[in-house]
Amino acid sequence: MSFTYEFPRPSVTIDAVVFGVNQELELELLLIKRRDDPFKDCWALPGGFVNVADTVPQGESLEAAAYRELREETGIKVDYLEQLYTFGEPGRDPRGRIISVAYFALVRSKDHTAIGGDDAKEAAWMSFKALPKLAFDHHKIISMALERLRSKIRYQPIGLNLLPEKFTISQLRKLYEAILGYKINHGNFRRQILPKNRPNFIKPVRTLREKSNRTGPPAQIYFFDKLLYENAVAKGFDFKLNCRKISQ
Amino acid sequence: MSFTYEFPRPSVTIDAVVFGVNQELELELLLIKRRDDPFKDCWALPGGFVNVADTVPQGESLEAAAYRELREETGIKVDYLEQLYTFGEPGRDPRGRIISVAYFALVRSKDHTAIGGDDAKEAAWMSFKALPKLAFDHHKIISMALERLRSKIRYQPIGLNLLPEKFTISQLRKLYEAILGYKINHGNFRRQILPKNRPNFIKPVRTLREKSNRTGPPAQIYFFDKLLYENAVAKGFDFKLNCRKISQ
DNA sequence: ACAAAAGTGTTTAGTGTACACCCATGT
DNA sequence: ACATGGGTGTACACTAAACACTTTTGT
């Protein structure tokens, strides 16, 4: 079967930049190994062609395509994908004119096992600090995604989706340090994230402290009260975290 | 001539959201009246199909398409277009599956005369406060652009591109009020925009004051020292303006 | 005389940063 | 005994918001 149009048309694909955090609070990235040319056997972002049609219902939405490709190529289902940017430079794909809409997501990597499928020979969580060479312009896409992630954690409590349900403040801080790429003063971070005179959504689990398999006193365990947070947001509250500056 | 593909492909278009500011410091939007169906004679954002090809050089970039369509349909050349978002919901265009990449820009409207051309029967600056009904999902695109504009003026001195080269602080404040949609305390705005203990790029024109055709003392005229600003940015300075809260 | 707008000052509360300290724990 | 890290206190500089005041103009 073939499809004929009066004017040339591009192909449209999606790419998914899925950040994960492992149990050591390190940043990871979900990648696949390509089964086919071009860039056969090269690591790349999961992604693929958007299903479209000119007749109603005109195929799937861009977002739906992103969820589908992610599931097909890596077996992973995420709750939320956010549109990042559209990459459409001529020459970015040797097969022809391909325009790609990039999406990004954040998950706990241990909750999402990566299983290669479909066009992906393999799928895996890779340490963000040691990424392999990637296909196409995927390095560019990833660096834009990291930039977005860094600015997002300052005004949305997305970091809290990445930790286990219960966590210590140190763990949360380590996550922020992993994303931002620098050390944060622990005392000040604490006060910022547990404000006394503003709405606070990080609540201590009264009876629980960290079972201390390390030096130092056992840390208080906290949880993120999502309901409280969402109510406050509805009332006009906006989360903000200042962790701009480094301190030794 | 026709083009045949193995799989169905969408059309890709661009839409340009061009904000303007008129000499009364009011916000305007550049619109065209459509010459052809669908939505013939309806007002819409300037935009159109991206020229593509599967053989090198594979056609024009998305951004280039945006500049070209803007020039063809409205006669306007802008210095800088920023990608806003990609709209690709099935059903957004009755002609078939059309994915549109939206760009946005900011200009002084008096420097850019709108002249209808090509697919545009007319092109005109319209008051942002009284927009007509628009074609397709263009209202949605515009509201997303306004949101972006509102957040951008807080951390980039883009407002200064929209005023005449020389301006008073009151004019600048009125522009901010027009974009943000609320009144700002004049004294506090002044101090924010003319900080004493931080780099300041808004310099008084020593010899000039407003020729006062209104009540009140003649205001000092300022200009934006772009060079100084860009040097400071290169050194890590980042512009920020707090005009969040209203005050009567 | 009055209203309107420019420009400036002051007060207050709050914020971010640096840094120091104590304490509980494992080794 | 010591290092490590949790948790807290505090001092300092700076900021934004509110609002009051003076001055200068047009009417």
Side-chain angles (χ1 to χ4, degrees):
Chain A
M1 190 148 172
S2 69
F3 300 84
T4 302
Y5 309 109
E6 193 181 347
F7 296 100
R9 295 187 179 187
S11 296
V12 173
T13 62
I14 64 85
D15 285 305
V17 184
V18 182
F19 290 104
V21 173
N22 69 14
Q23 297 192 279
E24 282 74 44
L25 287 324
E26 292 157 338
L27 199 57
E28 299 183 321
L29 186 65
L30 181 61
L31 292 177
I32 59 123
K33 186 175 261 181
R34 291 178 59 85
R35 209 190 51 194
D36 304 311
D37 267 324
F39 294 99
K40 187 178 169 186
D41 292 320
C42 186
W43 290 94
L45 293 171
F49 293 93
V50 178
N51 291 326
V52 299
D54 279 333
T55 51
V56 268
Q58 295 187 357
E60 65 189 346
S61 72
L62 299 172
E63 202 178 297
Y67 284 110
R68 179 182 53 73
E69 285 288 348
L70 202 51
R71 204 178 51 242
E72 288 175 5
E73 293 193 341
T74 70
I76 286 177
K77 293 171 193 176
V78 299
D79 289 338
Y80 178 67
L81 278 168
E82 174 176 317
Q83 197 188 105
L84 175 66
Y85 197 77
T86 298
F87 298 83
E89 286 302 303
R92 59 180 293 280
D93 192 310
R95 288 169 291 184
R97 184 64 187 270
I98 297 186
I99 291 167
S100 186
V101 185
Y103 281 80
F104 92 120
L106 300 165
V107 298
R108 292 179 262 266
S109 29
K110 78 144 179 125
D111 293 351
H112 300 268
T113 311
I115 303 160
D118 200 50
D119 296 329
K121 210 182 236 183
E122 282 181 58
W125 289 107
M126 310 273 273
S127 163
F128 199 83
K129 285 191 174 168
L131 293 180
K133 247 198 153 358
L134 297 179
F136 307 108
D137 53 358
H138 288 186
H139 268 299
K140 194 172 147 196
I141 297 178
I142 289 164
S143 74
M144 193 176 274
L146 180 62
E147 209 178 290
R148 178 87 135 250
L149 175 58
R150 282 179 176 165
S151 79
K152 260 187 110 72
I153 58 170
R154 295 170 185 286
Y155 58 89
Q156 280 182 30
I158 50 174
L160 298 162
N161 298 329
L162 298 177
L163 289 174
E165 219 184 306
K166 289 168 180 147
F167 52 87
T168 67
I169 300 301
S170 280
Q171 289 182 303
L172 182 57
R173 196 188 75 243
K174 276 185 187 120
L175 172 61
Y176 270 75
E177 289 176 344
I179 292 173
L180 292 171
Y182 55 75
K183 294 282 177 198
I184 304 167
N185 179 297
H186 81 283
N188 294 336
F189 180 79
R190 228 192 139 63
R191 256 185 302 273
Q192 287 258 351
I193 208 80
L194 297 171
K196 284 202 168 55
N197 308 317
R198 266 179 298 177
N200 171 16
F201 312 104
I202 298 179
K203 297 292 182 192
V205 181
R206 295 222 179 279
T207 54
L208 271 182
R209 300 188 83 79
E210 176 198 34
K211 72 164 187 283
S212 176
N213 52 357
R214 52 151 195 79
T215 181
Q220 172 67 56
I221 295 191
Y222 295 83
F223 70 99
F224 177 57
D225 195 329
K226 216 161 194 162
L227 219 67
L228 253 183
Y229 170 71
E230 276 157 13
N231 279 339
V233 166
K235 281 176 195 151
F237 169 81
D238 60 333
F239 179 89
K240 212 186 117 209
L241 191 71
N242 287 320
C243 37
R244 282 164 252 219
K245 287 220 180 162
I246 314 166
S247 86
Q248 24 58 303
Chain B
M1 188 146 173
S2 69
F3 300 84
T4 301
Y5 308 110
E6 194 180 347
F7 296 101
R9 294 187 180 187
S11 296
V12 173
T13 62
I14 63 85
D15 286 304
V17 184
V18 182
F19 290 103
V21 173
N22 67 14
Q23 296 193 279
E24 282 74 44
L25 287 323
E26 291 157 339
L27 199 58
E28 298 183 321
L29 186 64
L30 181 61
L31 293 177
I32 59 120
K33 185 176 261 181
R34 292 178 59 84
R35 208 190 54 193
D36 303 311
D37 266 324
F39 294 99
K40 189 179 167 185
D41 292 321
C42 186
W43 290 94
L45 293 171
F49 293 92
V50 179
N51 291 328
V52 298
D54 279 333
T55 51
V56 268
Q58 296 188 357
E60 66 190 345
S61 72
L62 299 172
E63 205 178 295
Y67 284 109
R68 178 183 53 74
E69 286 286 350
L70 202 51
R71 203 178 52 242
E72 288 175 4
E73 292 194 341
T74 70
I76 286 177
K77 292 171 194 176
V78 299
D79 288 337
Y80 178 66
L81 278 168
E82 174 177 317
Q83 197 187 105
L84 176 66
Y85 197 78
T86 298
F87 297 83
E89 286 300 304
R92 59 180 293 281
D93 192 308
R95 288 168 291 184
R97 183 63 187 269
I98 297 185
I99 291 167
S100 186
V101 184
Y103 281 81
F104 92 120
L106 299 164
V107 298
R108 292 179 262 265
S109 27
K110 79 145 179 128
D111 294 351
H112 299 270
T113 311
I115 302 161
D118 200 51
D119 296 330
K121 208 183 239 183
E122 284 181 56
W125 289 107
M126 310 275 272
S127 164
F128 200 83
K129 283 189 174 170
L131 293 180
K133 246 195 154 358
L134 297 179
F136 308 109
D137 52 359
H138 287 186
H139 268 299
K140 194 172 147 195
I141 297 177
I142 290 164
S143 75
M144 194 176 273
L146 180 62
E147 210 177 290
R148 178 85 133 251
L149 175 58
R150 283 180 175 166
S151 78
K152 258 188 112 71
I153 58 171
R154 295 171 184 286
Y155 58 90
Q156 281 184 29
I158 49 174
L160 298 160
N161 296 331
L162 298 176
L163 289 175
E165 221 183 303
K166 290 169 181 149
F167 53 87
T168 66
I169 301 300
S170 280
Q171 289 181 303
L172 182 56
R173 197 187 73 242
K174 274 182 191 125
L175 172 61
Y176 270 76
E177 291 175 342
I179 292 173
L180 292 172
Y182 55 74
K183 294 282 178 199
I184 303 166
N185 178 297
H186 82 283
N188 293 337
F189 180 79
R190 225 190 141 66
R191 256 184 303 272
Q192 288 257 350
I193 209 81
L194 298 171
K196 285 202 166 58
N197 307 316
R198 265 178 300 176
N200 172 15
F201 313 104
I202 299 180
K203 298 291 183 195
V205 182
R206 295 221 181 281
T207 54
L208 271 183
R209 300 188 81 80
E210 176 198 34
K211 71 165 188 284
S212 179
N213 52 356
R214 52 149 194 78
T215 181
Q220 172 67 56
I221 295 191
Y222 294 84
F223 70 98
F224 177 57
D225 194 329
K226 216 161 193 163
L227 219 68
L228 253 183
Y229 171 72
E230 275 158 13
N231 280 339
V233 166
K235 282 177 195 149
F237 169 80
D238 62 333
F239 178 88
K240 213 186 118 205
L241 190 72
N242 286 320
C243 38
R244 280 166 253 220
K245 287 219 183 164
I246 314 166
S247 86
Q248 12 67 302

